[in-house]
Amino acid sequence: MDSTFDEFFMQRCLQLAKLGAGHVAPNPMVGAVLVYRGRIIGEGYHRQYGFAHAEVNCVNSVKEEDKPLIAVSTIYVSLEPCAHHGKTPPCANLIVAQGIKEVVIGCVDTFSKVSGKGIEILKNAGIQVRTGILEKECRELNSRFFTFHEQKRPYIILKWAQSPAGFIAPPDGKPVRISNAFTDRLVHRWRSEEMSILVGTSTALTDNPRLNNRLWTGKDPIRLVIDRTLKIPRNYHLWKGNTLFFTEAKDDQKETVQVDFQQPVLPQIMQHLHERSIQSVLVEGGANTLQQFIDAGLWDEARIITGRTQFPEGLPAPVLQNALLTNETDLEGDRIMYYRKTS
C-alpha cells in the first residue's frame, strides 16, 4: 500500500492510543485499526490497565457482516504486538489466529519481554510485517514507557508557575495565586495523566497541598514527598491517603522510604520508583527541589506557566539548562511554555 495511506492509518492508531492516557500505565498506550481495501472495518485502543489490548478491541469491534474480511485485511498497530502472557494473552498470537496476512507496526517495543518477539511470531506464521511507520511519533507517544524501560527511571516532568518578572513566590514566601482557574484545571489534567507527583519539604510546609486532580477526572497520582526529618505536621493533607515520604526518619503510622541524605538523594528516589514500576513523576516544587532535578540532568519535559500576577521581587524561578522550547500557548492570559531536554 502507498506510504501515504500507511501514515494516514497510523495517525488514526495514534489518535486512538491517546484516549488511554492516564488509564493504562504501566502499560503503553496503543491504538490499532483493521483496514480492508482502504476502508477501516475495525478499530480499538488499550483502554485500561489489566484489560484487553488494542488489537483485541480492534478485532472485537468489527461488525458481523465484515467479520469474513478480517483475514484478508491489514492491521495497523502503533506498537509491536505483545508476545508474552501478562494480565492478557499475547496479541501476536491473536493476529495469527485471526488469519491476518499483513501487519503494519509503528515502532518496535524495547521492553525485554517483547522486543522483537512479537514480530518474530508474526513472521514465523508467514505474515508480512512492515515497521517504522511514523516511528518517531509512535515512540514519542509512549516516551514514559520507553524512558522507564531503557533508562531504568521514571519519565520526569517539571512544572511551575511564575510571575511575569520570573518569581515563583513573593519575598515573604507566602502562597499567592499566579495561574488562573482555567490553567488550574489544565494542571489537574496533567496530574491525572501521570503516575506520581512530587514536592519537597518547603512546598509541603508552605502550601499544605492536596496534590490530587480534584478539578479533573481520573485517578489521583501517587504523592511523593522529600522530608528528611518528617517535619510536615500530621494534620496536613499529605498525611492523609496514599503518600510516600522519602526520609531518614521512621514512622509507625505511615509507609516511609529510607534515603541516605549523605549521598545524592534523587538517584536513590529514582531507583525506588523504578522498583515500584512508577513510570512517570510530575515535579511541582518547590524552587530548590526543581533546581536539583535540573542540575542533576534528571528531567525530560518542563512546563512553565507565566501568569499575570505581578510581584517584581521574590523567590526566583528555577533556571532550565539544555532546554528546547517545543510549544507555547495562551490560556486566558496565562502563557504556558513547553520544553524538552536536549541532552
Side-chain angles (χ1 to χ4, degrees):
M1 185 174 286
D2 186 279
S3 61
T4 303
F5 284 98
D6 282 345
E7 292 186 2
F8 174 83
F9 292 120
M10 193 59 67
Q11 283 285 7
R12 180 55 182 162
C13 290
L14 290 169
Q15 289 176 344
L16 292 165
K18 291 175 184 177
L19 298 175
H23 302 288
V24 302
N27 283 353
M29 293 176 283
V30 184
V33 296
L34 199 58
V35 179
Y36 174 74
R37 293 187 177 180
R39 177 171 68 92
I40 293 177
I41 64 170
E43 58 182 30
Y45 65 97
H46 187 26
R47 295 174 176 268
Q48 187 172 346
Y49 175 68
F51 290 83
H53 288 187
E55 297 91 330
V56 176
N57 290 329
C58 178
V59 169
N60 289 343
S61 74
V62 177
K63 295 179 180 179
E64 195 64 36
E65 61 266 28
D66 285 335
K67 288 190 182 299
L69 303 177
I70 293 176
V72 290
S73 297
T74 298
I75 189 167
Y76 288 79
V77 58
S78 56
L79 184 68
E80 177 183 358
C82 62
H84 65 288
H85 285 269
K87 290 184 175 294
T88 59
C91 292
N93 291 353
L94 168 73
I95 293 171
V96 173
Q98 289 292 326
I100 297 170
K101 300 299 188 293
E102 184 177 23
V103 180
V104 181
I105 297 169
C107 64
V108 174
D109 189 345
T110 56
F111 177 39
S112 60
K113 290 185 178 180
V114 181
S115 194
K117 297 182 179 70
I119 292 174
E120 182 180 358
I121 289 173
L122 299 174
K123 287 185 174 179
N124 287 344
I127 297 173
Q128 180 183 349
V129 179
R130 289 185 286 122
T131 61
I133 307 302
L134 297 184
E135 181 175 15
K136 179 182 177 182
E137 292 84 349
C138 290
R139 279 188 58 86
E140 176 68 23
L141 174 69
N142 282 305
S143 52
R144 292 154 183 77
F145 178 81
F146 286 117
T147 297
F148 180 82
H149 289 293
E150 294 172 4
Q151 300 188 36
K152 308 303 180 186
R153 66 163 174 82
Y155 189 82
I156 301 167
I157 302 171
L158 311 180
K159 169 263 168 183
W160 70 83
Q162 62 186 29
S163 72
F167 298 103
I168 65 171
D172 60 11
K174 292 182 179 179
V176 60
R177 176 174 291 279
I178 295 177
S179 56
N180 63 46
F182 296 97
T183 304
D184 290 347
R185 283 167 173 76
L186 175 62
V187 170
H188 283 231
R189 175 182 173 180
W190 293 344
R191 291 178 178 181
S192 76
E193 294 171 346
E194 308 307 331
M195 292 189 70
S196 66
I197 183 170
L198 182 146
V199 295
T201 309
S202 296
T203 295
L205 288 172
T206 303
D207 296 350
N208 186 18
R210 290 182 173 87
L211 299 184
N212 58 19
N213 59 322
R214 59 195 177 277
L215 301 180
W216 201 257
T217 59
K219 185 168 62 175
D220 290 332
I222 299 169
R223 299 177 300 182
L224 314 173
V225 186
I226 303 174
D227 186 357
R228 182 172 185 172
T229 61
L230 291 183
K231 64 170 62 173
I232 299 170
R234 300 304 172 102
N235 63 335
Y236 272 36
H237 298 303
L238 289 173
W239 281 97
K240 305 168 186 175
N242 190 9
T243 308
L244 289 179
F245 288 84
F246 293 92
T247 181
E248 285 182 338
K250 293 185 179 180
D251 189 85
D252 295 332
Q253 302 175 23
K254 197 76 174 175
E255 179 182 8
T256 58
V257 180
Q258 300 302 298
V259 173
D260 182 0
F261 280 78
Q262 302 303 317
Q263 303 295 326
V265 170
L266 297 185
Q268 297 177 66
I269 294 176
M270 294 302 103
Q271 180 180 348
H272 181 82
L273 297 181
H274 185 266
E275 291 171 355
R276 282 183 176 251
S277 294
I278 295 176
Q279 288 189 359
S280 63
V281 55
L282 178 64
V283 183
E284 286 211 7
N288 181 56
T289 299
L290 287 159
Q291 195 63 56
Q292 286 185 45
F293 274 91
I294 294 168
D295 293 343
L298 280 173
W299 66 283
D300 300 286
E301 288 185 45
R303 301 168 184 176
I304 303 175
I305 301 161
T306 302
R308 291 182 289 186
T309 303
Q310 296 284 350
F311 41 94
E313 298 179 343
L315 179 62
V319 179
L320 286 177
Q321 303 165 13
N322 303 319
L324 173 68
L325 179 65
T326 59
N327 192 21
E328 182 176 354
T329 61
D330 183 275
L331 187 55
E332 295 296 319
D334 285 352
R335 185 176 53 151
I336 306 171
M337 305 182 76
Y338 298 81
Y339 293 88
R340 287 198 178 277
K341 186 170 176 288
T342 57
S343 61

